[in-house]
Coordinates of all heavy atoms in Angstrom, one line a residue:
F629 N -9.6 -15.7 3.1 CA -8.3 -15.1 3.2 C -7.9 -14.4 4.5 O -6.8 -14.3 4.8 CB -8.0 -14.2 2.0 CG -8.0 -14.9 0.7 CD1 -9.1 -14.7 -0.2 CD2 -6.9 -15.7 0.3 CE1 -9.0 -15.4 -1.5 CE2 -6.9 -16.4 -0.9 CZ -8.0 -16.2 -1.8
F630 N -9.0 -13.8 5.1 CA -8.7 -13.0 6.3 C -9.6 -13.3 7.5 O -10.2 -12.5 8.1 CB -8.9 -11.5 5.9 CG -8.1 -11.1 4.7 CD1 -8.8 -10.7 3.6 CD2 -6.7 -11.1 4.7 CE1 -8.1 -10.3 2.5 CE2 -6.0 -10.7 3.6 CZ -6.7 -10.3 2.5
P631 N -9.7 -14.6 7.9 CA -10.6 -15.0 8.9 C -10.3 -14.3 10.2 O -9.1 -14.3 10.7 CB -10.5 -16.5 9.0 CG -9.1 -16.8 8.5 CD -8.9 -15.8 7.4
G632 N -11.3 -13.6 10.8 CA -11.1 -13.0 12.1 C -10.3 -11.7 12.2 O -10.1 -11.2 13.2
L633 N -10.0 -11.1 11.0 CA -9.2 -9.9 10.9 C -10.0 -8.7 10.7 O -9.5 -7.6 10.8 CB -8.1 -10.0 9.8 CG -7.0 -11.1 10.1 CD1 -6.1 -11.1 8.9 CD2 -6.3 -10.8 11.4
F634 N -11.3 -8.8 10.4 CA -12.1 -7.6 10.2 C -13.3 -7.5 11.1 O -14.0 -8.6 11.4 CB -12.6 -7.6 8.7 CG -11.5 -7.2 7.7 CD1 -10.8 -8.2 7.0 CD2 -11.1 -5.9 7.6 CE1 -9.8 -7.9 6.2 CE2 -10.1 -5.6 6.7 CZ -9.4 -6.6 6.0
D635 N -13.6 -6.3 11.6 CA -14.7 -6.1 12.5 C -16.1 -5.9 11.7 O -17.1 -6.3 12.2 CB -14.5 -4.9 13.3 CG -13.2 -5.1 14.2 OD1 -12.1 -4.8 13.8 OD2 -13.4 -5.6 15.3
V636 N -16.0 -5.3 10.6 CA -17.2 -5.0 9.7 C -16.8 -5.3 8.3 O -15.8 -4.8 7.8 CB -17.7 -3.6 9.9 CG1 -19.1 -3.4 9.2 CG2 -17.9 -3.2 11.4
V637 N -17.7 -6.0 7.6 CA -17.5 -6.3 6.1 C -18.8 -5.9 5.4 O -19.9 -6.5 5.7 CB -17.2 -7.8 5.9 CG1 -17.0 -8.0 4.4 CG2 -15.9 -8.1 6.7
V638 N -18.7 -5.0 4.4 CA -19.9 -4.5 3.7 C -19.6 -4.6 2.2 O -18.8 -3.9 1.7 CB -20.3 -3.1 4.1 CG1 -21.6 -2.7 3.4 CG2 -20.4 -3.0 5.6
G639 N -20.3 -5.5 1.5 CA -20.3 -5.5 0.1 C -21.5 -4.8 -0.5 O -22.1 -4.0 0.1
E640 N -21.7 -5.0 -1.8 CA -22.8 -4.3 -2.5 C -24.1 -4.8 -2.0 O -24.5 -5.9 -2.0 CB -22.7 -4.6 -4.0 CG -23.7 -3.8 -4.9 CD -25.0 -4.5 -5.0 OE1 -25.1 -5.7 -5.3 OE2 -26.0 -3.8 -4.7
R641 N -24.9 -3.8 -1.4 CA -26.2 -4.1 -0.8 C -27.3 -3.1 -1.3 O -28.0 -2.6 -0.5 CB -26.1 -4.1 0.7 CG -25.2 -5.1 1.3 CD -25.2 -5.0 2.8 NE -24.2 -5.9 3.5 CZ -24.0 -5.9 4.8 NH1 -24.6 -5.0 5.6 NH2 -23.0 -6.7 5.3
E642 N -27.3 -2.8 -2.6 CA -28.2 -1.7 -3.0 C -29.6 -2.1 -2.8 O -30.5 -1.2 -2.6 CB -27.9 -1.4 -4.5 CG -26.5 -0.7 -4.7 CD -26.4 0.1 -6.0 OE1 -26.9 -0.4 -7.0 OE2 -25.9 1.2 -5.9
A643 N -29.9 -3.4 -2.8 CA -31.3 -3.8 -2.5 C -31.8 -3.4 -1.1 O -33.0 -3.3 -0.9 CB -31.5 -5.3 -2.7
E644 N -30.8 -3.2 -0.2 CA -31.1 -2.8 1.1 C -31.0 -1.3 1.3 O -31.1 -0.7 2.4 CB -30.1 -3.4 2.1 CG -30.1 -4.9 2.1 CD -29.1 -5.5 3.0 OE1 -28.6 -4.9 3.9 OE2 -28.7 -6.7 2.7
G645 N -30.8 -0.6 0.2 CA -30.7 0.9 0.2 C -29.4 1.4 0.5 O -29.2 2.6 0.8
I646 N -28.3 0.6 0.5 CA -27.0 1.0 0.7 C -26.3 1.1 -0.6 O -26.0 0.2 -1.3 CB -26.2 0.0 1.6 CG1 -26.8 -0.2 3.0 CG2 -24.7 0.4 1.8 CD1 -26.2 -1.2 3.8
R647 N -26.1 2.4 -1.1 CA -25.6 2.7 -2.4 C -24.1 2.2 -2.5 O -23.4 2.3 -1.5 CB -25.7 4.1 -2.7 CG -27.1 4.6 -2.8 CD -27.2 6.2 -2.9 NE -26.6 6.8 -1.7 CZ -26.3 8.1 -1.6 NH1 -26.5 8.9 -2.7 NH2 -25.8 8.5 -0.5
R648 N -23.7 1.8 -3.7 CA -22.4 1.4 -3.9 C -21.5 2.6 -4.0 O -21.9 3.8 -4.3 CB -22.2 0.5 -5.2 CG -22.6 1.2 -6.5 CD -22.5 0.2 -7.6 NE -22.9 0.8 -8.9 CZ -22.1 1.5 -9.7 NH1 -20.9 1.8 -9.3 NH2 -22.6 2.0 -10.8
K649 N -20.2 2.4 -3.8 CA -19.2 3.5 -4.0 C -19.2 4.0 -5.4 O -19.5 3.3 -6.3 CB -17.8 2.9 -3.6 CG -17.6 2.3 -2.2 CD -16.2 1.8 -2.0 CE -15.9 0.6 -2.8 NZ -14.5 0.1 -2.6
P650 N -19.0 5.3 -5.6 CA -18.4 6.3 -4.6 C -19.4 6.9 -3.6 O -19.0 7.9 -2.9 CB -17.8 7.3 -5.5 CG -18.7 7.3 -6.7 CD -19.1 5.9 -6.9
A651 N -20.6 6.5 -3.6 CA -21.5 7.0 -2.5 C -20.9 6.6 -1.2 O -20.2 5.5 -1.1 CB -22.9 6.4 -2.7
P652 N -21.1 7.3 -0.2 CA -20.4 7.0 1.1 C -21.1 5.9 2.0 O -20.6 5.6 3.0 CB -20.5 8.4 1.8 CG -21.8 9.0 1.4 CD -21.9 8.6 -0.1
D653 N -22.2 5.4 1.5 CA -23.1 4.5 2.3 C -22.3 3.4 3.0 O -22.6 3.1 4.2 CB -24.2 4.0 1.5 CG -25.1 5.1 0.9 OD1 -24.6 6.2 0.7 OD2 -26.3 4.8 0.6
T654 N -21.5 2.6 2.2 CA -20.8 1.5 2.8 C -19.9 1.9 3.9 O -19.8 1.2 5.0 CB -20.1 0.7 1.8 OG1 -19.2 1.6 1.0 CG2 -21.0 0.0 0.8
V655 N -19.2 3.0 3.7 CA -18.2 3.5 4.7 C -19.0 4.0 6.0 O -18.6 3.7 7.1 CB -17.3 4.6 4.2 CG1 -16.4 5.1 5.2 CG2 -16.6 4.1 3.0
L656 N -20.1 4.7 5.7 CA -20.9 5.2 6.8 C -21.5 4.1 7.6 O -21.7 4.2 8.8 CB -22.0 6.1 6.3 CG -21.5 7.4 5.6 CD1 -22.7 8.2 5.1 CD2 -20.7 8.3 6.6
A657 N -21.8 3.0 6.9 CA -22.4 1.8 7.6 C -21.3 1.2 8.6 O -21.7 0.8 9.7 CB -22.8 0.7 6.6
C658 N -20.1 1.2 8.2 CA -19.0 0.8 9.1 C -18.9 1.7 10.3 O -18.8 1.2 11.4 CB -17.7 0.7 8.4 SG -17.6 -0.5 7.1
M659 N -19.0 3.0 10.0 CA -18.9 4.0 11.1 C -20.0 3.8 12.1 O -19.8 3.8 13.4 CB -18.9 5.4 10.6 CG -17.7 5.8 9.7 SD -17.8 7.5 9.1 CE -16.5 7.5 7.9
R660 N -21.2 3.6 11.6 CA -22.3 3.4 12.5 C -22.1 2.1 13.4 O -22.4 2.1 14.6 CB -23.6 3.3 11.7 CG -24.1 4.6 11.2 CD -25.6 4.5 10.7 NE -25.7 3.5 9.7 CZ -25.6 3.8 8.3 NH1 -25.3 5.0 7.9 NH2 -25.7 2.8 7.5
E661 N -21.7 1.1 12.7 CA -21.5 -0.2 13.4 C -20.5 -0.1 14.6 O -20.7 -0.7 15.6 CB -21.0 -1.3 12.4 CG -20.8 -2.6 13.0 CD -22.2 -3.4 13.3 OE1 -23.2 -2.9 12.8 OE2 -22.1 -4.3 14.1
L662 N -19.4 0.7 14.3 CA -18.4 0.9 15.3 C -18.5 2.1 16.2 O -17.8 2.3 17.2 CB -17.0 0.9 14.6 CG -16.6 -0.4 13.9 CD1 -15.3 -0.2 13.1 CD2 -16.5 -1.5 14.8
G663 N -19.5 3.0 15.9 CA -19.8 4.1 16.7 C -18.7 5.2 16.7 O -18.3 5.7 17.7
V664 N -18.1 5.4 15.4 CA -17.1 6.4 15.3 C -17.5 7.5 14.3 O -18.4 7.3 13.5 CB -15.8 5.7 14.8 CG1 -15.2 4.8 15.9 CG2 -15.9 5.0 13.5
S665 N -16.7 8.6 14.3 CA -17.0 9.7 13.3 C -16.0 9.6 12.2 O -15.0 9.0 12.2 CB -16.8 11.0 14.1 OG -15.5 11.2 14.4

């Protein structure tokens, strides 16, 4: 539906230690990828 429109895409990856929402992990992963606060 949105090819080329997103810079970072993070789904459920709890097996990788990224907790699902409402934990902040997925959002923080985006921040790290883009180098923002």
